[in-house]
Amino acid sequence: WDLWQARLQDKRWTQPQPLALNSSADELDPFLSSDGRWLYFASNRPGGHGGFDLYRAALGADGQPGVAENLGSTVNGRQDERSPALAEDGGLLFSSNRRGGAGGWDLWQAHAGAAGFAAPTPLAGINSAGDELDGSWLGGGRGVVFARANAGGGAQLWLSHCRQGQWQAATLLTLSFNSAD
């Protein structure tokens, strides 16, 4: 897997090109920071802390990413980290199959600090024995929409709200395309 970039010209995406930061390993799950300065992604490239790690690369004025920086051992563990997403306050949401969650892949958050990210914590109240992946913050971090694997081998979109510092039980989004398949 590699990350690619295309140009929007006359309302069409054209000229897809692989990014220079790609390695011989896999790069996936891209996320652009809201200020347009950083590209976050997951990779299992050599030199990481284990499995897939989270990285970021500064974006130049031409939109091209610079050198990939590992987010470090505070965020990345021996297992896998995937699906990075930043909150408005700079906090990080991601999926991991590390120990300490509810089981399988779970959603984790790491608050932003002056020296990087704080130690991640699982989103208690959202995570289940199943797999939770691809989370995105909503409403300034007051909600999270995410994919949860189902018994049939598919995944569906779920929503949880944070009330008084506690994540509420997730509810299935009632969308026409959000079927069990």
Side-chain angles (χ1 to χ4, degrees):
W1 295 95
D2 284 327
L3 299 179
W4 287 61
Q5 181 178 32
R7 302 270 181 222
L8 184 61
Q9 294 178 329
D10 300 324
K11 298 181 183 179
R12 296 190 65 198
W13 291 104
T14 64
Q15 305 170 5
Q17 297 292 318
L19 296 180
L21 62 69
N22 289 324
S23 70
S24 60
D26 294 322
E27 284 76 32
L28 42 85
D29 298 342
F31 181 86
L32 293 171
S33 63
S34 62
D35 62 9
R37 296 181 50 218
W38 297 97
L39 170 66
Y40 286 78
F41 63 97
S43 178
N44 60 352
R45 60 181 58 203
H49 299 278
F52 279 90
D53 280 3
L54 299 181
Y55 291 82
R56 73 178 189 169
L59 294 174
D62 61 356
Q64 294 298 314
V67 176
E69 305 171 8
N70 188 294
L71 294 188
S73 61
T74 301
V75 169
N76 293 308
R78 291 184 179 161
Q79 304 298 62
D80 298 299
E81 286 74 38
R82 301 255 323 257
S83 309
L86 290 180
E88 291 173 8
D89 67 0
L92 181 66
L93 174 68
F94 63 96
S95 297
S96 181
N97 59 0
R98 66 178 61 203
R99 291 182 183 182
W105 286 90
D106 289 316
L107 297 175
W108 292 74
Q109 68 178 347
H111 295 285
F117 293 105
T121 57
L123 295 186
I126 294 179
N127 293 323
S128 70
D131 291 332
E132 287 81 27
L133 294 157
D134 300 322
S136 290
W137 296 110
L138 299 174
R142 294 186 311 267
V144 172
V145 64
F146 61 95
R148 177 177 283 159
N150 60 40
Q156 292 173 288
L157 295 176
W158 291 74
L159 173 67
S160 179
H161 297 279
C162 188
R163 294 197 175 97
Q164 298 176 339
Q166 300 293 315
W167 289 102
Q168 305 301 299
T171 58
L172 183 66
L173 289 176
T174 54
L175 303 168
S176 61
F177 62 83
N178 201 23
S179 68
D181 295 332

